[in-house]
Structure formats: C-alpha cells, structure tokens
C-alpha cells in the first residue's frame, strides 16, 4: 500500500509527538508511525521531572542550567545546543502546562520543582530545585498530554507499523518503508520530510530500565546506509535500578533527600562527591556504587547492590511525591520504602549518542557539515549533542520537547518549500529481501539465545568500567553473534501478527548498535563522562575533545570506520572553558 | 486440545534461588487456523519472584515462538500487557508468580474480554481507543495563556491525582459486565479520562464534557459492580471517580 504525506514522523514518544504537533502547526499534512500504540512509548517511564530554570522555588538562571549541562557532559556537550536548550526549555515547560499537563504545585500554585543530580546554582555552588515534576510520573504525564494534543489536532497515526527501511537517494530522503504487524504487509510512505524519533537501544544490555521494544531500529537502519552514528561509546547507566530487575527508580528520590548506603550503612557518596554527595551526576554515582560493590561493601544475596534509604522522609513525601517508585518497590521486591532500605544497582538507561543532527534536527551525513536533505531526528535516537559524554537527569525529557519541537518546525518549513522527490524504483526491495532472508533461514539458533548472549556480553565488556582487552574481545563476540544471526531460525510462517519475525528483525538492529558502540568505545583511549576506561583513566582534551562518528564499512562485514566531528566549544552568548570535573 | 511441553526454566540461572514448577495454561486462537479458541498447557520452571510476563516471554522465546501477545515496558507503566490471569484482569508484568500460584500450581492466561481476539492474547484495541477519543480527551482553554504557568493550588491539582494516573491498559473496561453486554457504553477507562478534565480547574469545557457523560452511552450505564476498581493495576478508585462524575452531571458542575 502506498501513502503520501508532507511530513512523516517515526516514533510516538515525547519527541515524535512534539514533532508531529509542530509539523501540523506548519500547515502541512502529517502522519505518525509507531511500532506501538502511542501511549505505550517509553517516555512514559520517565519519572523524576523536566529541568528548566523557572526559579519557582529558588533563584535560577538559564546560564546556570547551560553550565551544568556542559559540565555534566564532561565538556563534550555542544555548547550551542546547550544554550538553545537551556533557554528554550523554560518556554517549553510553560507550553506543556498550557497544554494541560497536571504538574505538581508549589504552595503558591506554581509548577513545583525539586533538586536533581548535577543541577546547581551559581555554577556549581550547591544543588538547586530545577526539576519540574508531576509527582514521580512526569514522563507519563508528558506522553499522555502530548498524545491528547495530537488527538485534538487530528494527527493521523499508523499504530503497530515497524519501519524497515529509509528511502534515501542522491542525498535526499524520500520516505520510508514500514511493515504492518496486523497484516504482514509492507507499506511505502512517500514524504517530503521524515522525522526520526524512535528511541534508544537499551535492550542491548542485560540489566536495563528500557522497554523490550527499545532495540535501536532506526539508528541501525541509518547506519546500514553507510551514514554515521555519533558518540555511541557514551551510554548512561542509571545508578538506581531495582536490584536484579533494572526497573528505574527515579533520581527524584535523592532529590527529595534519599541517601545511598553501603553494607555498613555508610553514606558513601560523601567520599566521592563531597559537595553535592548523592546528587552528583549519574556517571559518577554509578561508578561509586560499582566501586563499593567491587570492594566488598555491597548488599543482598550476591552482594551486588547497595541500598537507597528513604526511611527518614515523611510518609506523605514517600507515598505522595514518590508514589510510583513506592508502588514498584512494594510490587516487585515486597519492600516498603517507608520503613525498608531498598536494594538498587546501576541499570542501562540512555544512549547519549545516536543519529547526528544540527540544531534544527537535520540529520548529518559526516563530520564536515554534510547532511541528508529532508531527514530529521530528535530525542534519544538523535545526537545533537546536548548530553555530551553524560546526560544530566531531567535533560532527556527537556531534550525531546525542545528538539522534537524544532525538528517539527524545520521539517514543516522544508516541506513547504520543496516538491516531492521521486520515489526510488522498487522502494520495497531491501525490505522484501530482509524478510525473505529471515523467513528462509532455518538455523538452530533462535533469536532469544543470541540476544541473551549479546546482552550479557555487552553488560560485562562495555559496561560501566571498560578496558581495551575486554572491548577487543567484545568486538569478536559481536562479529560471531552476527554470523550466527545470519542464519537465525524463524519458525512461525504466519503473516498476521508475527511477533517472532519482528523480534528476530529487532535483534539484527540491536547487533548493529552494539557493533558501532563497541568499536567507538574501544577507539576512544581516554576516560570522559560515562566512558570510563581502566587502562586510560584520565580525560585527554588534547587528543579527544571531539565527537566520534562511527560508519559501517559497507565493503567489509563487521568492520567499523571511525571519523570525528569538532565539539562546539562556544554557545551563542556564553562559553564555558573545559575544566576538571569535580562535584 | 492440550499440548504439553518439556519443562524449561524462565529465570536466570542462579543456584541459590529455589525454582518452582508451574503449569501455564494459555487460551490460544489463530483465526487463520482455528475454528475456536483452545487451551494449551506449558510446563515451566520459574522463580516465585518472576513476573508472569517473564514466564510468558520464556514460553515464546524457548518453547512456542508463535505465541502472540503485546508487551513493552515490563514494569506496569506502558499498559500493553493486560490479560486475564487466573480469572482476573491484570498486567502480566505487574503480577508476580507468587501472587497467583504455588509450586506445582497452574496459572491460566486468557485474553481480556469484550474486545475481538486477533490472535492468542492480543485483542483489537481500536474500539477501546474510539471510546477514549469520544470524550474529548484533551485540555481545553481558549483564553490567552499567561506568559508563565496558569496558577492552580496544590489541592486543586490533587483532584486529578487518581484520574491522571491512568495508563489506558483497558483492565477496567474489559472487566465491566455492562461493557461486555453493551459495547456502546464508553466504559470506565473513558470516564476516568473524562474525570481528569472535568475536575481540572483550568479546563473550560466542563459543560460540554458533562453533556457527553450524560448521554445514554455515558456515566449512567454504570451499575457500580466495582469490577473496574478491583482490576485497576494502578489502584485508581475507579468506581468512586465514576460516582464523582455522576454527581457533577447531576448538579451540572464539577
């Protein structure tokens, strides 16, 4: 089946829904494709808040937020992106409120704000209340509110459609091919502009806060075209996932005063970040937790967790402002944060890297200013790069509203100026080949066992602490898994709702993301932000203050070529010199 | 038809954690092959602390790849995996094995009721979302917005606390006996969504919303069976919220 829209959005999480809304305001026809139903996207799992310098609780300024974002990103953050972001997010949060988002409130009726890791006043002096929240279900409320607004705007949705190919010819995107789960049919979508906003690939790891559906589909499809993925070595492990399960426990618990404790009850963060302690950025807290565990001060049966202590907080705060995580602890661990210490461990959470874009969301094709005409990206899948080497808590929700909005505006503006480019001849060819290969293969390995090996090996070899030999080993493991994947068995021949086929396809996407990530990480011989190497322990600005651009070698299977892109070290009006990163 | 599969383990291998034996009885149906639904039983080993979704995933990944169901987040926030588990509507990812079975016991899994079964545990959600869209599920305030936020007190914001917690999983609506016999009833989930806007002090469309609730597909169909409240995986006191909407309709104001 063939469809035609001026602007096509892929993904219906926060970034996609914001992009769709703004594209529609630009007087162009818009449709949104999602592999889920819209309100199922993982934006809904974000809990703690969206950071903006509203100053509702304490004095705050966008310059402070910009500084924190740049320092949090260990100076790999592009400062022009950080400046645009820190200014725009203030207005964007008010806009969400005007869309009806039910924020929690201050006693004087303004949007409530609380402290969050790495967010400080006066350029690092002390923690500041910057995170605007709706209890501890802020992402859920953003997702619901943006979907509601799209219902109001009459956006067309194609639910449970899996994008299988991007149609790019002569440097211009012409549309996408998608697989309809309910029928097994391929659809072609002809578009003047396409916006990619389909999320991350956290399922490449064993312990993860990510949904089963987060398999890096569009990053992989982009990469398969020989186009670059930026900064894939920077992957965030959230310090507090429920032990063994990886389910996210919001940083908001530390913002509200929760304390991390080791087996002897010591508040160990005092040793690692004397100024802001438990509210240090996530990379630092995750490393501190793993160090405690490695040195034998962990808790639990396998001594592989530490505790988060809320017991000194009033019951109303725990059951009110932190209702979501209280429910999670009670449901999954049978523990009550009102009186029990809750065991947590770091969990794979967020890709700082992804599809490179400029400030308007336009996808970049190299590190020298080349771009793909008509193709935009936003949200976790994109790398603008706001988060640099480590994202601050709350800046993901901010990223998707600010840069989702910009992608929508600029995609619509572009679509108004151009005619439809011709579709390639036989646009479905590569997608048909992909499915034919999967359906025809009859290997003994099933997708689940390959996936499990991928998840365990990525966790062990490209996790929180890294070193050359382990990552070199992982390069080989991913190559071997890819070889086995080439022959993966799909036994269900049905056309309707064939989720086995889809899971096998998604594994292929995830293997690509793992390949690019491992190669990028092995290549970067320094420690910066979330990329922490035991064999190169310090930050090396002289050689490595640059973005990685990883390209799939289209002639040699399993090989990755690395290029670079300069970091924007200046904003439009402010610039922050790289300095040692202490908290 | 009952098929039995060799037991395999759903849980990560860990010597120190006791495993329990389970029978998982799944109501399967593929309209392309089957005239009617049939039970298939799988023998599985699991930990008591596993989620029912872990067990169902295990069956799909290692025993019966064609088993079809929806799932995504794995922790009760996306609302994809509502199922009838041991006769009650629940989210498979928010139900632990130990909550529904002992060692040697049986867990039964069926699709939620009142919506057309497309395949196995996966149902047609379109009618459910149609009801959602029918209640104008979006904030309406056409007055010029202030430069900053609209002011709302903590108490006013708290009135939406329960209704805004809804994840549209359909556990409530598909447990409602009125919805089963009369699909035109908007159902508890749509009324909860209406509540969220009716009791929002910033919203200006209260009268229109009460009008929709007063129609014969609306709030008066509710016979307070409480099934919805018991089914809600988010502990929303749905029947109470429906009563609040009824009162608002009666008095013509929120």
């Amino acid at each position: 089946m063939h469809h035609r829209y001026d602007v096509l959005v892929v993904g219906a999480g926060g970034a996609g829904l914001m992009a769709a809304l703004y594209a529609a305001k630009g007087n162009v026809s818009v449709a949104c494709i999602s592999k889920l139903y819209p309100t199922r996207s993982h934006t809904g799992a974000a809990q703690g808040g969206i950071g903006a310098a509203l100053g509702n609780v304490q004095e705050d300024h966008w310059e402070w937020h910009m500084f924190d974002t740049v320092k949090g990103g260990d100076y790999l953050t592009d400062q022009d992106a950080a400046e645009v972001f820190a200014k725009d997010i203030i207005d964007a949060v008010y806009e969400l409120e005007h869309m009806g988002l039910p924020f929690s409130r201050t006693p004087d009726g303004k949007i409530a704000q609380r402290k969050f890791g790495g967010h400080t006043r006066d350029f690092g002096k002390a923690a500041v209340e910057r995170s605007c929240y709706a209890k501890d279900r802020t992402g859920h409320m953003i997702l619901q509110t943006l979907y509601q607004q799209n219902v109001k705007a009459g956006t067309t949705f194609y639910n449970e459609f899996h994008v299988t190919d991007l149609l790019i010819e002569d440097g211009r995107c012409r549309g996408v091919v998608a697989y309809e789960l309910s029928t097994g049919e391929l659809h072609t979508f002809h578009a003047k502009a396409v916006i990619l906003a389909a999320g991350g690939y956290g399922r490449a790891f064993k312990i993860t806060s990510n949904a089963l559906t987060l398999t890096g589909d569009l990053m992989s499809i982009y990469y398969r075209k020989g186009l670059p993925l930026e900064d894939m070595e920077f992957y965030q492990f959230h310090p507090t996932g429920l032990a063994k399960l990886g389910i996210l426990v919001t940083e908001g618990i530390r913002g509200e005063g929760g304390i991390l404790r080791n087996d002897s009850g010591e508040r160990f963060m005092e040793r690692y970040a004397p100024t802001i302690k438990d509210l240090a950025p996530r990379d630092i807290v995750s490393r501190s937790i793993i160090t405690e565990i490695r040195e034998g001060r962990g808790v639990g049966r396998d001594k592989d967790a530490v505790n988060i202590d809320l017991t000194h907080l009033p019951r109303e705060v725990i059951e009110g402002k932190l209702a979501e995580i209280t429910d999670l602890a009670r449901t999954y661990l049978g523990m009550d944060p009102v009186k029990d210490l809750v065991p947590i461990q770091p969990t794979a959470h967020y890709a700082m890297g992804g599809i490179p874009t400029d400030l308007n969301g336009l996808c970049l094709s190299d590190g020298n200013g080349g771009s793909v005409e008509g193709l935009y990206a936003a949200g976790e899948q994109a790398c603008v790069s706001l988060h640099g080497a480590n994202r601050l808590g709350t800046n993901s929700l901010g990223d998707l509203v600010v840069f989702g909005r910009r992608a929508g505006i600029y995609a619509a503006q572009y679509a108004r100026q151009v005619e439809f480019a011709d579709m390639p001849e036989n646009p479905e060819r590569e997608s048909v080949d992909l499915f034919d290969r999967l359906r025809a293969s009859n290997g003994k390995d099933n997708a689940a066992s390959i996936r499990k090996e991928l998840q365990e090996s990525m966790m062990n070899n490209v996790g929180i602490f890294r070193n050359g030999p382990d990552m070199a080993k992982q390069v080989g493991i991913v190559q071997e898994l890819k070889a086995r994947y080439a022959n993966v068995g799909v036994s269900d021949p049905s056309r309707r709702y064939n989720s086995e086929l889809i899971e096998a396809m998604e594994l292929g996407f995830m293997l690509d993301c793992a390949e690019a990530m491992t190669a990028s990480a092995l290549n970067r011989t320094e420690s910066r932000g979330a990329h922490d190497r035991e064999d190169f322990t310090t930050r090396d600005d002289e050689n490595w203050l640059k973005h990685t651009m990883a390209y799939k070698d289209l002639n040699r299977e399993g090989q990755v070529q690395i290029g670079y892109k300069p970091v924007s070290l200046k904003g439009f009006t402010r610039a922050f010199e790289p300095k040692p990163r202490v908290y | 038809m009952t098929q039995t599969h060799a037991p395999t383990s759903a849980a990560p291998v860990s010597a120190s954690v006791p495993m329990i034996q389970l029978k998982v009885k799944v109501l399967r149906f593929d309209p392309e092959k089957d005239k009617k639904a049939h039970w298939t039983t799988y023998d599985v080993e699991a930990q008591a602390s596993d989620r029912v979704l872990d067990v169902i995933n295990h069956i799909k990944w290692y025993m019966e790849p064609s088993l079809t169901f929806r799932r995504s987040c794995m922790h009760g926030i996306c609302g994809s995996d509502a199922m009838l588990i041991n006769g009650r509507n629940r989210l498979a990812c928010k139900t632990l094995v130990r909550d529904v079975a002992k060692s040697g016991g049986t867990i039964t899994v069926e699709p939620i009721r009142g919506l057309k079964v497309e395949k196995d545990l996966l149902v047609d959600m379109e009618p459910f979302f149609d009801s959602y869209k029918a209640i104008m599920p979006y904030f309406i305030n056409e007055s010029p917005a202030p430069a900053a936020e609209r002011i709302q007190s903590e108490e006013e914001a708290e009135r939406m606390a329960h209704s805004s917690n809804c994840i549209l999983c359909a556990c409530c609506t598909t447990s409602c006996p009125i919805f089963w016999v009369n699909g035109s009833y908007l159902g508890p989930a749509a009324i909860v969504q209406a509540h969220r806007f009716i009791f929002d002090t910033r919203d200006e469309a209260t009268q229109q919303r009460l009008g929709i609730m007063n129609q014969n597909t609306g709030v008066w169909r509710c016979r307070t069976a409480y099934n919805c409240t018991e089914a809600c995986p988010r502990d929303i006191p749905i029947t109470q919220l429906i009563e609040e909407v009824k009162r608002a309709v009666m008095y013509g104001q929120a």
Side-chain angles (χ1 to χ4, degrees):
Chain A
M1 214 166 153
H2 186 71
H3 314 266
R4 204 160 132 132
Y5 294 95
D6 293 326
V7 175
L8 185 73
V9 181
V10 180
L17 292 174
M18 195 74 179
L21 261 187
Y22 268 84
K25 284 182 204 231
N27 284 323
V28 293
S29 63
V30 182
C32 182
I33 298 181
S34 172
K35 68 180 188 179
L36 297 164
Y37 270 85
T39 57
R40 310 300 188 215
S41 297
H42 212 54
T43 296
Q47 295 166 350
I50 176 167
L54 308 186
N56 284 354
V57 177
Q58 228 191 113
E59 181 186 351
D60 202 0
H61 301 280
W62 70 261
E63 292 92 340
W64 296 354
H65 190 185
M66 176 186 170
F67 168 78
D68 289 337
T69 300
V70 171
K71 180 182 175 186
D74 218 350
Y75 297 91
L76 196 69
T77 295
D78 284 328
Q79 298 200 17
D80 49 357
E83 180 166 336
V84 163
F85 170 76
K87 287 176 178 167
D88 277 13
I89 187 60
I90 295 171
D91 169 55
V93 165
Y94 289 137
E95 186 182 7
L96 289 172
E97 200 278 335
H98 297 158
M99 290 176 185
L101 197 144
F103 280 108
S104 296
R105 299 284 167 165
T106 63
D108 54 352
K110 294 180 179 171
I111 294 170
Q113 295 187 278
R114 65 179 158 216
K115 293 173 181 167
F116 237 75
H119 290 280
T120 69
R121 69 178 161 79
D122 210 4
F123 308 107
K125 294 264 167 55
V128 73
E129 290 85 348
R130 184 177 291 144
S131 169
C132 309
Y133 62 92
K135 297 186 181 280
D136 57 348
R137 50 180 198 244
T138 316
H140 164 77
M141 290 324 325
I142 289 178
L143 186 66
Q144 294 285 329
T145 301
L146 291 177
Y147 180 57
Q148 291 158 6
Q149 291 297 306
N150 273 283
V151 171
K152 188 179 182 190
T155 306
T156 303
F157 283 94
Y158 292 87
N159 302 329
E160 297 185 325
F161 275 60
H162 293 254
V163 169
T164 54
D165 201 10
L166 285 171
L167 301 170
I168 302 172
E169 270 191 359
D170 303 326
R172 178 161 174 201
C173 181
R174 291 130 200 274
V176 311
V177 181
Y179 173 93
E180 184 181 18
L181 184 66
S182 65
T183 61
E185 277 172 30
L186 286 174
H187 294 245
T188 50
F189 290 84
H190 194 184
K192 290 179 179 173
V194 173
I195 302 172
L196 306 178
Y201 61 97
R203 276 284 150 181
F205 296 91
K206 181 183 166 195
I207 302 287
T208 178
S209 66
N210 279 209
L212 287 163
T213 38
L214 289 166
T215 49
D217 305 8
L218 271 300
M219 287 189 197
S220 161
I221 291 171
Y222 194 76
Y223 176 69
R224 285 177 188 182
K225 303 275 167 203
L227 294 163
L229 296 176
E230 181 177 352
D231 288 345
M232 291 294 277
E233 63 270 43
F234 298 103
Y235 198 91
Q236 177 163 86
F237 285 78
H238 193 292
T240 58
L242 283 187
K244 307 286 184 198
L245 293 159
I247 295 171
L248 178 67
V249 175
T250 176
E251 195 169 307
I253 54 175
R254 284 172 284 137
E256 295 289 352
I259 293 169
L260 292 164
R261 297 191 189 279
N262 61 19
D263 64 338
S264 64
E266 183 204 5
R267 183 179 194 179
F268 59 86
M269 281 311 298
E270 286 179 333
R271 280 187 275 119
Y272 298 94
T275 309
I276 56 177
K277 304 183 180 75
D278 300 86
L279 286 172
R282 290 175 177 174
D283 56 335
I284 293 171
V285 180
S286 284
R287 278 196 290 276
S288 306
I289 292 170
I290 296 295
T291 303
E292 291 299 298
I293 291 168
R294 282 184 171 190
E295 293 177 358
R297 294 188 290 277
V299 304
R301 197 181 59 237
D302 301 322
K303 300 252 172 227
D304 61 352
V306 298
N307 283 322
I308 180 81
D309 179 2
L310 303 182
T311 56
H312 54 289
L313 299 179
R315 177 182 284 272
E316 314 83 78
V317 170
I318 296 174
E319 291 183 342
K321 292 178 178 180
L322 302 171
E324 190 74 30
I325 68 103
T326 300
D327 180 36
L328 293 175
R330 287 173 182 167
T331 300
Y332 294 107
L333 300 180
M335 292 176 141
D336 185 356
V338 174
K339 53 183 180 23
D340 299 324
L341 302 181
V342 178
I344 55 87
Q345 65 187 157
T347 182
H349 187 57
Y350 186 90
M352 270 74 75
I355 297 174
T357 72
D358 70 9
L359 294 177
N360 299 342
L362 183 65
C363 294
L364 304 179
S365 57
D366 57 42
N368 312 312
S371 58
V372 182
E373 215 185 313
L375 188 61
Y376 298 77
E380 183 176 351
Q381 181 173 87
C383 179
V384 55
S385 150
L386 173 66
H387 311 302
N390 171 66
R391 175 174 71 74
L392 290 188
T394 77
N395 276 1
S396 60
L397 290 177
D399 180 359
L400 53 83
V401 295
V402 166
F403 291 101
R405 180 165 76 170
R406 288 176 81 90
I409 290 169
Y410 290 103
Q413 192 180 84
Y414 173 79
R416 283 196 307 272
Q417 290 163 358
V418 300
E419 298 300 320
F420 280 92
D422 292 337
M423 284 290 261
E425 262 182 64
N426 199 358
E428 296 173 5
R429 186 175 46 85
E430 286 192 29
S431 303
V432 170
D433 287 351
L434 177 94
F435 284 114
D436 283 351
R437 272 200 308 279
L438 285 170
R439 284 182 188 278
S441 62
N442 52 4
K444 283 197 202 106
D445 267 323
N446 78 355
S449 51
I450 298 174
R451 186 171 58 223
K452 193 165 171 230
E453 285 181 48
L454 174 72
Q455 291 165 335
E456 283 173 1
S457 59
M458 288 299 286
M459 199 82 196
N460 291 334
N461 297 326
V462 203
I464 293 171
F465 287 109
R466 301 166 172 182
N467 62 65
D470 284 351
M471 289 191 287
K473 189 169 82 183
Q474 186 63 16
V475 169
I477 291 171
V478 173
Q479 281 170 348
E480 184 213 315
L481 293 175
K482 282 189 122 175
R484 282 165 57 190
Y485 175 74
N487 205 25
V488 70
V490 176
S491 65
D492 183 358
S494 56
R495 293 193 68 78
R496 296 179 66 254
Y497 292 105
N498 190 335
S499 49
E500 187 196 10
L501 184 66
I502 290 300
E503 288 191 15
M505 178 176 74
E506 289 172 332
L507 172 61
F509 294 145
M510 214 149 60
L511 283 163
D512 280 337
C513 293
E515 173 183 288
M517 178 181 182
T518 308
S520 302
L522 180 59
N523 181 66
R524 182 176 286 269
T525 50
E526 66 157 352
S527 286
R528 183 186 296 274
H531 177 63
D532 197 276
R533 287 191 62 153
E534 294 160 317
D535 44 358
F536 297 93
T537 56
T538 53
R539 194 175 85 193
D540 175 2
D541 285 343
E542 201 176 312
N543 294 303
W544 287 107
L545 191 51
K546 57 188 177 186
H547 298 292
T548 302
M549 304 290 265
Y551 301 80
K552 185 181 184 65
D553 187 330
L554 298 180
N555 300 313
R556 292 180 304 156
E557 179 53 41
Q559 301 297 310
V560 182
Q561 291 180 343
I562 304 286
Y564 301 98
K565 184 163 92 74
V567 178
S568 306
L569 292 169
K570 287 194 172 74
F572 296 97
T573 64
R574 295 299 303 261
F576 300 102
E577 284 273 310
K579 284 191 185 142
R581 186 165 163 252
V582 287
Y583 287 95
Chain B
M1 183 180 74
T2 295
Q3 260 178 293
T4 299
H5 292 256
T8 55
S9 165
V13 181
S14 177
S16 54
V17 181
M19 305 296 287
I20 60 172
Q21 307 297 320
L22 291 173
K23 287 191 183 305
V24 181
K25 223 176 125 184
V26 183
L27 191 63
R28 301 202 58 190
F29 176 59
D30 180 349
E32 287 188 326
K33 287 193 279 194
D34 306 324
K35 287 216 171 77
K36 55 178 195 170
H38 56 90
W39 291 99
T40 303
T41 303
Y42 305 90
D43 288 313
V44 181
E45 221 176 28
Q47 290 178 11
S49 60
D50 281 340
R51 294 163 277 206
V52 171
L53 184 58
D54 291 319
V55 176
I56 295 170
N57 269 332
H58 177 80
I59 294 170
K60 178 171 184 62
W61 293 342
Y62 299 105
M63 300 166 80
E64 183 51 78
S66 67
L67 182 62
T68 303
F69 50 93
R70 288 192 180 94
R71 82 291 178 277
S72 186
C73 76
M74 298 280 288
H75 68 273
I77 190 70
C78 80
S80 296
D81 62 342
M83 300 173 190
L84 195 63
I85 298 170
N86 284 7
R88 232 186 89 185
N89 275 5
R90 315 173 201 242
L91 297 181
C93 66
K94 235 189 148 180
T95 307
L96 303 191
V97 166
R98 65 166 170 249
D99 299 336
V100 287
K102 292 196 175 76
S103 186
T106 301
I107 300 176
T108 63
V109 185
E110 304 164 65
I112 47 177
R113 290 182 179 150
L115 295 168
K116 185 179 153 231
V117 177
E118 294 285 353
K119 196 174 172 186
D120 295 339
L121 303 169
L122 188 149
V123 301
D124 177 13
M125 292 295 287
E126 290 300 327
F128 176 80
F129 278 99
D130 287 346
S131 296
Y132 168 77
K133 286 170 195 158
I135 61 102
M136 300 197 305
Y138 38 80
F139 182 74
I140 296 175
N141 184 328
E142 305 302 341
S143 322
E149 66 269 68
R150 291 193 166 95
I151 299 296
Q152 186 174 48
S153 74
E154 287 175 285
E155 295 71 30
E156 288 168 343
E158 203 55 28
R159 294 186 76 180
M160 297 176 281
H162 286 305
S163 48
S164 69
N165 202 11
C166 172
I167 56 173
L168 298 168
C169 67
C171 275
C172 59
T173 296
T174 61
S175 70
C176 172
I178 310 296
F179 175 76
W180 293 337
V181 292
N182 183 349
S184 71
Y185 171 41
L186 290 169
I191 298 172
V192 166
Q193 291 293 330
H195 181 286
R196 178 250 169 274
F197 295 102
I198 290 168
F199 290 91
D200 187 337
T201 51
R202 302 165 298 170
D203 188 90
E204 289 178 337
T206 312
Q207 290 310 319
Q208 247 176 303
R209 298 181 190 286
L210 294 178
I212 294 170
M213 288 294 108
N214 197 25
Q215 287 169 3
N216 64 2
T217 53
V219 79
W220 303 115
R221 293 258 166 204
C222 170
R223 292 285 180 275
T224 55
Y226 280 94
N227 286 18
C228 52
T229 302
E230 282 168 23
C232 180
R234 308 277 290 167
D235 294 329
I236 301 172
I238 301 174
T239 312
Q240 180 195 317
L241 300 190
I242 295 174
E243 290 303 303
E244 288 174 15
V245 174
K246 285 179 181 171
R247 247 191 323 265
V249 172
M250 230 153 52
Y251 295 111
Q253 60 182 32

